[in-house]
Amino acid sequence: MKKSFSMLCALITTFIWGTAFIAQDTGMDNIGPLTFNASRFFVGFISILPVALIVEKKKIFKEIGNNKSTFYKLLCFMGVSLFFGTFLQQAALQYTNIANAAFFTVFYVPFVPILLFIIYKTKVHWSIWPSILLCIFGVYLLSDFSDSEIMIGDSLVILCSIFWALHIIFAGKFVEKFDIPIFYAALQAAFVGILSFIFAYVFEEI
C-alpha cells in the first residue's frame, strides 16, 4: 500500500512538473527568472506551511531535536541545489524552447546514480541503467526533440539537471533520517524564495 501511494505521488509530481513548463515559459514575459522563482517559492511556502502544521505539528520539534546539525546541513544542501536547479532552468527558458528544456532536464536521471556513487560511494542495481536509457528515449519521443536545433540555453538546462540530481540525492538522505517531509518542503521553499529575492533585488528590476 505504501509503495503504491509513493508511486502515485511520483506520477502526480511528474504530471505537475511537466505541465508547469508552459507556465514557467510564459511567466517571464514581464519579469526575470529570479523574480519569478522568488514569487513561486513564496507562494509555495504559504501554501504548504499550514498543511505541514496540521499534519506534522506533533513531531516537528521531536524530529529536529534528535539531530539538529544533520537537519540544518541537509536543509542548506537541498536549498542551494534547488535554488541553482530552478534558477538555471528558468534562465535557460529565455534562450531555448520548451522541447529542448524538457529533454535536457531529464538528464538528471542518469546524473543521480553517477553523483550518488561519487559522493556516497553507493552503487545502484544494474537494472537501473536500462530503465534510465528507456526514460531518456521516452522523453526524446514525447518532447519531439528530433525536430529541434541545439540552442545556447541548452547548456544551462544540462547544468541545472546536475543540481536537480543533487537535490534528489539529498532529499533521499533526508527521508532516511527525518519523518517531516511536508514541513521540510515548506522550509525549503522559504529558503529558495529568500535566496531568489535577494539576488533578484541585486540583479533584476522587480
Side-chain angles (χ1 to χ4, degrees), residues 89-187:
Q89 185 184 65
Q90 201 65 38
L93 288 171
Q94 297 175 111
Y95 309 106
T96 189
N97 55 44
I98 294 175
N100 285 31
F103 177 69
F104 286 114
T105 298
V106 85
F107 278 31
Y108 79 86
V109 177
F111 282 142
V112 168
I114 293 169
L115 292 173
L116 194 60
F117 179 75
I118 292 171
I119 299 170
Y120 294 106
K121 306 300 180 188
T122 303
K123 294 181 180 178
V124 298
H125 193 268
W126 66 267
S127 62
I128 297 296
W129 292 104
S131 303
I132 288 172
L133 292 174
L134 284 171
C135 173
I136 293 172
F137 181 64
V139 175
Y140 172 81
L141 297 175
L142 286 169
S143 62
D144 197 25
F145 183 75
S146 57
D147 293 331
S148 297
E149 58 181 33
I150 301 299
M151 303 176 76
I152 192 170
D154 298 340
S155 57
L156 291 176
V157 183
I158 294 171
L159 186 59
C160 99
S161 68
I162 295 174
F163 286 103
W164 278 119
L166 287 170
H167 180 259
I168 289 168
I169 291 168
F170 296 137
K173 294 298 175 182
F174 170 80
V175 296
E176 288 176 4
K177 299 178 183 296
F178 302 98
D179 187 28
I180 44 172
I182 306 173
F183 180 70
Y184 205 73
L187 286 185

Side-chain angles (χ1 to χ4, degrees), residues 27-65:
M28 290 191 301
D29 287 347
N30 299 298
I31 57 175
L34 288 164
T35 305
F36 183 88
N37 271 353
S39 304
R40 70 191 279 206
F41 280 104
F42 279 132
V43 169
F45 171 71
I46 293 167
S47 304
I48 297 169
L49 185 62
V51 179
L53 293 177
I54 293 169
V55 177
E56 299 172 344
K57 183 180 179 181
K58 293 181 180 178
K59 53 184 178 180
I60 290 172
F61 292 106
K62 181 183 175 183
E63 288 285 331
I64 298 174

Side-chain angles (χ1 to χ4, degrees), residues 1-33:
M1 181 66 184
K2 216 171 182 181
K3 194 172 181 181
S4 300
F5 180 71
S6 298
M7 273 300 243
L8 179 63
C9 288
L11 287 169
I12 293 170
T13 302
T14 304
F15 174 76
I16 294 170
W17 195 12
T19 53
F21 266 117
I22 300 166
Q24 284 180 250
D25 189 38
T26 57
M28 290 191 301
D29 287 347
N30 299 298
I31 57 175

